[in-house]
Amino acid sequence: MKRSLTVSWEDPLAAFEEGKKLAPLEYMRAVCAGRIPAPPIARLLGMRLAKVDAGEAVFELTPAEQHYNPIGVVHGGIAFTLLDSAMGCSVHTMLPPGKGYTTLEIKANLVRPITLQTGPIRATGKVIHLGRQTATAEARIEDAAGKLYAHGSTTCIILG
Amino acid sequence: MKRSLTVSWEDPLAAFEEGKKLAPLEYMRAVCAGRIPAPPIARLLGMRLAKVDAGEAVFELTPAEQHYNPIGVVHGGIAFTLLDSAMGCSVHTMLPPGKGYTTLEIKANLVRPITLQTGPIRATGKVIHLGRQTATAEARIEDAAGKLYAHGSTTCIILG
Amino acid sequence: MKRSLTVSWEDPLAAFEEGKKLAPLEYMRAVCAGRIPAPPIARLLGMRLAKVDAGEAVFELTPAEQHYNPIGVVHGGIAFTLLDSAMGCSVHTMLPPGKGYTTLEIKANLVRPITLQTGPIRATGKVIHLGRQTATAEARIEDAAGKLYAHGSTTCIILG
Amino acid sequence: MKRSLTVSWEDPLAAFEEGKKLAPLEYMRAVCAGRIPAPPIARLLGMRLAKVDAGEAVFELTPAEQHYNPIGVVHGGIAFTLLDSAMGCSVHTMLPPGKGYTTLEIKANLVRPITLQTGPIRATGKVIHLGRQTATAEARIEDAAGKLYAHGSTTCIILG
């Protein structure tokens, strides 16, 4: 039996231009509140910015069959994408207006398989170090009961 | 203007059960040749196992707007997912029949932004070390001209 | 002007055999209290197990000129060695009697240079995940005022 | 039976100042040839810059008892320090005069234990990506027969 899914999204560059008018944390809050449309990747994967504050960002996703890999569990790439989003956004919240960032690298451990039975998961990202030129952050993915599924860290460079 | 995309896939557990009848490398070759359906995540992201051999696996993807993050380029998670797929599959090809594996961790560097202008990209994964209990692998993402966009490594545990 | 240093240590295999008679946490406590001699590497680098508890281990070191690299600060390898020691020992404390472990990989970020002026530093390692076959841990290096210099994570495999 | 070792070194800041007069690759070649004294950390650990070329650096070390950890093999920190040295120096060779670098992070896998029986080991570092602001490199540790013991990668930031 074939399964299918239709996803839709809005012009990402329009949201990006709109976002430039706001200070970074305000922009993230506008995305979180739905006043600025979520980026296409979020619509494709079904992930959602659930909470954002200075130095912290939380993404949520409910594992679904379209996330499955060939060995019968959610593909590790979904966990990496959630961790990367949560860590990058936690750094983004701390930037002064006019500054941007890009992710140089990510490291992530998968400690338990994520399946349809896991239910909704949350990736919580927190800034560890904010320097003038670089920043580091860490994140954890937990289920509703606080059980740990994955954790990671990242190095970002601050631009502009 | 709203954009939308419809993806479809087949029961991943049926393909998983089918795959268990084959030696690991034969199974990967059957997926590569389309005799066993690609897993849902591959259909969702538009990635394709393009080549597989003992100790090596290549995935291809053409960057598209649905892969975009809020800062106007392809989300790092797409690169991590390609690298993870290429590395995990390169390890998978080396397993004796009846053995499985799982990814303990992945580390990846993003060295250039991936955009719609990049065109098709390939992630090539290769086994570095194959032990009795663990394996390591590395991968690189390049465009059609061989320009490097990302690279990474992984640690897997061998099961069964 | 030439500088020199003499270090001395005891047979590491004798301490290793002695240690096998104790449960892991008891063994670590005996090293911490000086009842079992510190391993040669600790004497060579001048690092000291300062505190150990279930799931946690703290190493101390006072940066000295013999730790310097060619670019005028303490070599990153000293930080990696402290982080690795603190993380590995934190995992070691949690093992049941008769089990051992080995480090599969380490990832570490250096966020500030360590110099003679930094004064004594402490690496605090904590277990993140303890599974049946693998464990993960994290560590931070801070000075006496709690300022962060480096942080990292590790993946260990549990043996025996 | 007590063992002891005496190491000596020269003022690292004098060598650092001397080094600043040379282009980076020339400086590395002067260290390799012994015309500029090796840094203290190299004397302490017994590691030696054995070869250096544009984009590549090789360090050698003969494992000895003073490198041993409490579990009866060479401490992982020795491998991390060799990998870090080889990778950092490979990046250093590629810098234009007047530029410096610092290591942001290192990731390393230990795939086999290193012991006294391993004999001399070599860490070979190679630049993967050299950008305007950042660089990445990788390294492998092998014995005289080419057997792999450890491998890793690094992210550096280019300064000045």
Side-chain angles (χ1 to χ4, degrees), chain A residues 1-67:
Chain A
M1 199 195 71
K2 269 281 216 268
R3 288 85 152 139
S4 82
L5 170 76
T6 298
V7 292
S8 63
W9 65 91
E10 290 173 56
D11 181 356
L13 296 180
F16 182 52
E17 290 306 319
E18 191 62 27
K20 280 195 199 160
K21 298 176 195 162
L22 300 175
L25 178 54
E26 280 179 85
Y27 162 70
M28 304 297 298
R29 285 190 169 136
V31 173
C32 192
R35 294 192 304 271
I36 287 180
I41 187 75
R43 305 302 302 269
L44 183 67
L45 301 184
M47 69 181 180
R48 195 172 72 80
L49 178 59
K51 189 187 151 193
V52 68
D53 217 327
E56 186 176 337
V58 179
F59 279 82
E60 287 181 344
L61 173 141
T62 299
E65 200 181 85
Q66 65 268 27
H67 302 134

Side-chain angles (χ1 to χ4, degrees), chain C residues 1-152:
Chain C
M1 200 197 70
K2 269 279 217 270
R3 289 90 150 136
S4 82
L5 170 77
T6 297
V7 294
S8 63
W9 65 91
E10 291 174 56
D11 180 357
L13 296 180
F16 182 53
E17 290 306 317
E18 191 62 27
K20 279 195 199 160
K21 298 174 194 161
L22 300 174
L25 179 53
E26 280 179 85
Y27 163 70
M28 305 296 298
R29 285 189 169 137
V31 173
C32 191
R35 294 191 305 270
I36 287 179
I41 185 76
R43 305 302 301 269
L44 183 66
L45 301 183
M47 70 181 180
R48 196 172 71 80
L49 178 59
K51 190 188 151 191
V52 67
D53 219 327
E56 186 176 337
V58 179
F59 279 81
E60 286 182 343
L61 174 139
T62 299
E65 200 181 85
Q66 65 268 25
H67 303 132
Y68 265 48
N69 74 11
I71 53 177
V73 297
V74 168
H75 193 290
I78 297 296
F80 302 139
T81 304
L82 284 170
L83 292 169
D84 181 42
S85 298
M87 295 189 293
C89 287
S90 75
V91 169
H92 197 162
T93 65
M94 299 299 280
L95 299 179
K99 293 276 183 180
Y101 80 98
T102 193
T103 298
L104 296 179
E105 60 85 32
I106 177 180
K107 156 76 165 72
N109 277 76
L110 306 175
V111 302
R112 283 190 182 87
I114 298 170
T115 67
L116 296 180
Q117 285 67 50
T118 305
I121 52 177
R122 293 166 68 92
T124 303
K126 290 182 187 176
V127 171
I128 300 177
H129 170 77
L130 183 74
R132 204 172 44 82
Q133 291 186 287
T134 62
T136 64
E138 65 186 350
R140 301 165 61 94
I141 294 179
E142 295 171 347
D143 67 14
K147 197 190 248 192
L148 182 71
Y149 289 80
H151 58 87

